[in-house]
Amino acid sequence: LSARLRDLGPGDLGWVHALNQTHATELSSQTPAAFRALIARARYARAIEDEGAFLLAFDRRPAPFSPNFDWFQARFERFLYIDRIAVDARHRRKGLAQALYGDLAAFARDAGFQMLAAEVNSDPPNPASDALHAALGFTVVGEAYLADRDKTVRYFRLPILT
């Protein structure tokens, strides 16, 4: 894969927010201001390709109310939480998500994290994300129903080998 991987910058907010909103069912809707604040608090905020895909990950609570992050924090130490990843439809099946996850794993290892953590909707289902996480070796470690969002999620983890 010869894709260009880079940190998100101020000029990326428009397309990254639009891509997030396209996938709001899976990722949760955000106002532009809230999304800008989310990016600013991220420990890892990178894009790949021109308007191709992005990934945000956190090592501390990513928003005022984050039940998924809190679930991991109650059970694990030194994890990097994948809050959201999205790939534009024009860039699917090119390995961009795998490249972002690979870069994130290297980043996490270098920063001393013990694991990657992620949450994926199970109701409504997200089969593409399920397949990606399974292919990358993530295992399911829990499940929760989020009443305020009327969805059920599964929690995944991937140990970081040092």
Side-chain angles (χ1 to χ4, degrees), residues 8 32 35 38 45 47-48 58 64 78 81 83 101 105-106 122-124 127 129 131 144-145 148:
L8 286 176
F35 199 70
L38 200 62
I48 191 165
F58 295 86
R78 295 293 298 152
Y81 173 70
D83 185 69
Y101 269 71
S122 54
D123 184 24
S129 189
Y145 174 69
D148 66 319

Side-chain angles (χ1 to χ4, degrees), residues 109-126:
R109 186 174 26 264
D110 291 348
F113 289 99
Q114 298 171 347
M115 65 177 256
L116 296 180
E119 153 273 319
V120 176
N121 292 353
S122 54
D123 184 24
N126 188 343

Side-chain angles (χ1 to χ4, degrees), residues 116-143:
L116 296 180
E119 153 273 319
V120 176
N121 292 353
S122 54
D123 184 24
N126 188 343
S129 189
D130 285 337
L132 172 67
H133 287 90
L136 295 174
F138 281 76
T139 56
V140 176
V141 292
E143 185 174 79

Side-chain angles (χ1 to χ4, degrees), residues 4 6-7 9 29 31 52 56 58-59 61 64 67 74 79-80 88 92 104 126-127 143 152 157:
R4 291 187 331 236
R6 60 182 173 73
D7 291 337
S29 182
T31 66
L56 300 181
F58 295 86
D59 62 347
R61 184 188 291 258
F79 63 90
L80 198 53
D88 184 272
R92 296 256 164 94
L104 178 66
N126 188 343
E143 185 174 79
T152 302
R157 73 183 285 259

Side-chain angles (χ1 to χ4, degrees), residues 18-132:
L19 185 55
N20 185 85
Q21 295 306 100
T22 298
H23 298 283
T25 299
E26 300 88 2
L27 303 177
S28 78
S29 182
Q30 299 280 323
T31 66
F35 199 70
R36 184 180 308 109
L38 200 62
I39 291 171
R41 293 191 63 194
R43 177 72 183 262
Y44 178 99
R46 301 205 81 192
I48 191 165
E49 288 298 338
D50 291 330
E51 302 187 12
F54 75 91
L55 189 152
L56 300 181
F58 295 86
D59 62 347
R60 57 187 171 90
R61 184 188 291 258
F65 180 66
S66 180
N68 299 318
F69 183 90
D70 292 347
W71 189 93
F72 282 103
Q73 191 169 44
R75 291 161 179 83
F76 300 101
E77 292 182 27
R78 295 293 298 152
F79 63 90
L80 198 53
Y81 173 70
I82 300 157
D83 185 69
R84 61 194 67 226
I85 180 172
V87 179
D88 184 272
R90 298 168 295 172
H91 293 276
R92 296 256 164 94
R93 300 276 194 227
K94 295 180 180 177
L96 300 187
Q98 292 90 336
L100 280 166
Y101 269 71
D103 184 66
L104 178 66
F107 174 88
R109 186 174 26 264
D110 291 348
F113 289 99
Q114 298 171 347
M115 65 177 256
L116 296 180
E119 153 273 319
V120 176
N121 292 353
S122 54
D123 184 24
N126 188 343
S129 189
D130 285 337
L132 172 67

